[in-house]
Amino acid sequence: MSVALADELHRLGEAGSTGVLRAGDGEFHLVRGAIASVGCGRTIGLDRLVVEAGVATAEDWRRAGAGDPGPLLDEPQLETLALLSVFDAAYFLLASAAEPEFRAAPEHWLAPVCHIAPRALVHECERRTDNEHGPWTADLVGTVPVVPARRIKRNQVVLTGSQAEILAAADTRRSIADIARDLGRTTYGCLVAVRDLTAAGLIEPPEPVVAAELAQRPGRHLALAPEPPTHVPTLPRRIPSGSAGPAAAPSRGVGEQPGRHAIDEEVTATAHYRGTHAGAYRPERWQPVDREILIRLRAALEELA
């Protein structure tokens, strides 16, 4: 969480300031020290939430922004939607490291229905940050596409309606913010759903996280050169009759993309052969392959598939 932004909100709240506090891709509207509205480029706007919920039309919202809210302020759902919008946008703005900049401005027209103390807002955002889990962090919601899992484990998974909707919207192109905007939902709600879907194995972890894990794991060195390792045996050797051979390692199906474990093994093999056996290793001659071993291995893999 941005300490500078949180401290500035506390200061403006105690001073009873009225104006706009800009930070990163959004802004906080304060009225006499209380927060009346928050907007962020990565979250859906309150105008869209209001129209999607049928509380007002786009024209009603335009008139309200121009200073003529009319009966809109009397709508009971407006306060609820305004609170959702404020906490949604503030969560992502407070997670950024942008320097805040305040300027005085007239009171925001939503002040009669939405007035949140800065300390309460910061406390709620801290609580949400403490509950974060998984690789999807707040800074990835607008930059990393959501990719459905390539392979799904045979576990029974019960999805909520919103989770199923978000999973169906994952198309390898749209980010969490894009999906939230297209579905008319809060970005934080979509972020939580994507975290749960990733934990269930239905969404792939974000690519930057996978790459960072591979590069930072102790004892593993990512080879940058494109050429393959000097020698990586891939076929089983003949096992003499009557002797117990080593257990066969899991293999990939034809045309299947390598998973994380396969990538780990390839990276480790590359580093091992180049680092330990560079210039000294000589590949042994291939031995004839036992056809029955291959038949049994194929049958076992088909049962696991």
Side-chain angles (χ1 to χ4, degrees), residues 282-302:
R282 294 293 182 271
E284 61 182 324
R285 297 181 61 184
W286 288 108
Q287 299 294 328
V289 178
D290 191 325
R291 184 171 178 272
E292 291 190 3
I293 292 178
L294 293 180
I295 293 174
R296 292 198 301 270
L297 179 59
R298 178 180 176 180
L301 291 174
E302 287 177 348

Side-chain angles (χ1 to χ4, degrees), residues 80-151:
T80 301
L81 294 174
L83 291 174
L84 280 175
S85 176
V86 165
F87 285 108
D88 189 32
Y91 172 78
F92 296 101
L93 293 181
L94 282 167
S96 65
E99 287 295 323
E101 181 182 354
F102 178 77
R103 63 175 176 80
E107 294 186 5
H108 196 279
W109 66 272
L110 280 170
V113 296
C114 185
H115 33 81
I116 306 169
R119 290 192 177 277
L121 181 68
V122 172
H123 175 74
E124 172 60 19
C125 291
E126 286 177 340
R127 185 191 67 81
R128 293 185 178 187
T129 302
D130 291 340
N131 291 335
E132 285 184 357
H133 63 280
W136 289 95
T137 54
D139 59 318
L140 300 180
V141 296
T143 57
V144 178
V146 182
V147 179
R150 297 176 179 88
R151 296 193 65 182

